[in-house]
Structures are given as C-alpha cells and as structure tokens.
Amino acid sequence: MSSIAPSSTAATATPTGTMPTGTKPTGIDSTPAVRSRLGREGLLALLGKALILLVALFLTLGPVVWTLWVAFTPVDESGHHTLSLAAFKDVFTKVDVWRLFWNSILVTGLSAVGQMFTAALAGYAFARLSFKGREWLFGLILATMMIPMQVTIVPVFMLIRGMGLSDTLLALILPALPTAFGTFLMRQYFMNIPESLAEAAQIDGASPWRVFWKIYLPLATPGLAIVGILAFNGIWNEFFRPLIMTISEQNFTLPLGLVSLQGQLGTGSMSTVLAGVVLSMIPALIVFIFGQRPLREGLTAGSVK
C-alpha cells in the first residue's frame, strides 16, 4: 500500500476552526469588533475612576468651599449675601481673639516640642538600649493607643487637680507630652540607622548621650518632623481636653473660645462662627505649607534603602 505524504498546505484543526500550518497564532483577536469593545471598556473604566475622584473631591473640598463662602458673604439687613469682611470684624469684637491665639500657640507649641523630645528619648531607648522587660514595656505603651481619651480624662483631671494645676495652661500641656505613636515611630527610625555608627563613636570615646545627640538624633530628623506636625495639628484642633481642664475664659484655647460666637441657644450669626473657623485654620495651614517637604521626606524615608 502506498502512503500519501501530507501536504505543506494542510490545515490543522483548532478549537476555533481550522488554521493553516504555516501560520502562527497571535493569541489576541485583533478584529475591529474586539478593538472597539476594548476601547469602550477602557472608556467606561476611565469614566468610573473620574466619577470616584469627583465624589472624593466634593466630599473633601465641599465643606471648605462652603465655609469660605458663608464667612465672606454674610447676610445683610435686606437678607441678601454680600461680599464683605463684616463677619471677621464681628469675631474680633465678640471674643478676645488675640488671647485665644496666644493660648493655643503656647499650648500647641510646647506640647509639640515636648512630644518630639519624649518620643526621641523613648524611641532611642527601646531601639538601642538593652534592659529587662523592654519588649513587654513597649507592647504596653502601644496598647495605650487603643484606650480612648474619654476613659482616662477623669483620672488625669484628678491628678492635675491634686498637683494644684487645674484651670491653667499647664493642665493642657503636661498630659500631652507623652505620645505612644511618636515613641513607636521614632523607635522604627532609630532601628533603621546602622548600629555601626554608634560603635564607631563609642570607640572614639563618645558617651551614650553624645551618641544619641550627635549621631542618631540628626539622622532621625524626618521622623521628628512627622511627630511635630501631627502633634501640632492634633492639639491645635483639640476641644475636649480644654473643655474639661479649663474654666476661666482667660485660659480658653481657640477652638473652645470660638464656641461663644454661637450665642445663646445657637442664635449667633453663622457667618461670624465660620469666620472664626477660617481664622483658626490659618496657623495649621502655615504649618502644613512649611512642613510639607519634611513630612513627605519622613513618610518616604523608610522605603528607600
């Protein structure tokens, strides 16, 4: 029986039909219909992302834009909104804005600097010093982050009153000096610094304090910037602790003092209240503008080796 050799142009069966043996499968269907469908899907995905971003933009900037609009366009006697600074003038006439600013700057500044100092010392101790119970104590400090302020405010108030510091600015500063988050953050920064630097300094006769002050602390400046900026923003906007710790108006901070702009039973002008809010935003905005670069460097420092 004679055998017949297969022709070079014979077709090979495929799941989608027959394909000549001399051609190579591309793996991608490049027909116009498929390209059109992929184009529509990409357009829909792009529109979906744009919609999500617009919603996030509205939720983020919407309250800010509304606050600025109401503050700069108070309602006049005829009931119409007019562009003026009358609401800001009312703020300065109804409350002692300069005293409120001074109290807030003093409390916030000293608390932020104190948190930077205590976080650096505690973080260095947990990162580079060996002592019994170090890990257990560090875990206990981290556990305090889970306890809300409302739970500890009563014992803290009793301690402050026992020290004779109730209704003073020190009652707001001293409890804010320790920071569990700052301790954790600085510990991580110090652990990323090579230990060989400290060993070389100790060989040259440097004391432990000098190793910390001259070597480790300058290298951890981005971490200190993060602790300081976050502490400033948090304490500047704080309302609950000043409400509990202070009684006299001369010791009120800015968020607490602006409450009086609402008037009795909330009968005050909304434009005046929001004008005070706009004034309170200025220092935090200044700190963010000047601290944006060290904050960005601090957040990305751990990702670069």
Side-chain angles (χ1 to χ4, degrees), residues 171-255:
L172 303 177
I173 297 173
L174 292 181
L177 295 182
T179 165
F181 174 75
T183 301
F184 166 76
L185 184 65
M186 296 308 301
R187 174 182 178 270
Q188 299 306 116
Y189 264 88
F190 287 131
M191 291 182 66
N192 290 331
I193 298 176
E195 194 172 359
S196 58
L197 298 176
E199 296 175 353
Q202 291 173 355
I203 293 175
D204 292 339
S207 62
W209 172 257
R210 189 170 184 179
V211 171
F212 164 74
W213 188 258
K214 295 293 185 180
I215 298 177
Y216 277 89
L217 192 61
L219 295 176
T221 301
L224 288 175
I226 295 177
V227 174
I229 293 174
L230 295 180
F232 185 92
N233 289 332
I235 298 174
W236 180 266
N237 298 317
E238 202 171 32
F239 178 82
F240 183 69
R241 283 198 316 117
L243 179 64
I244 301 299
M245 297 294 183
T246 58
I247 301 174
S248 58
E249 293 185 0
Q250 64 179 1
N251 292 323
F252 282 0
T253 56
L254 191 59

Side-chain angles (χ1 to χ4, degrees), residues 10-34:
T12 303
T14 63
T16 58
T18 59
M19 181 179 63
T21 57
T23 61
K24 296 181 179 180
T26 59
I28 299 177
D29 195 348
S30 59
T31 60
V34 173

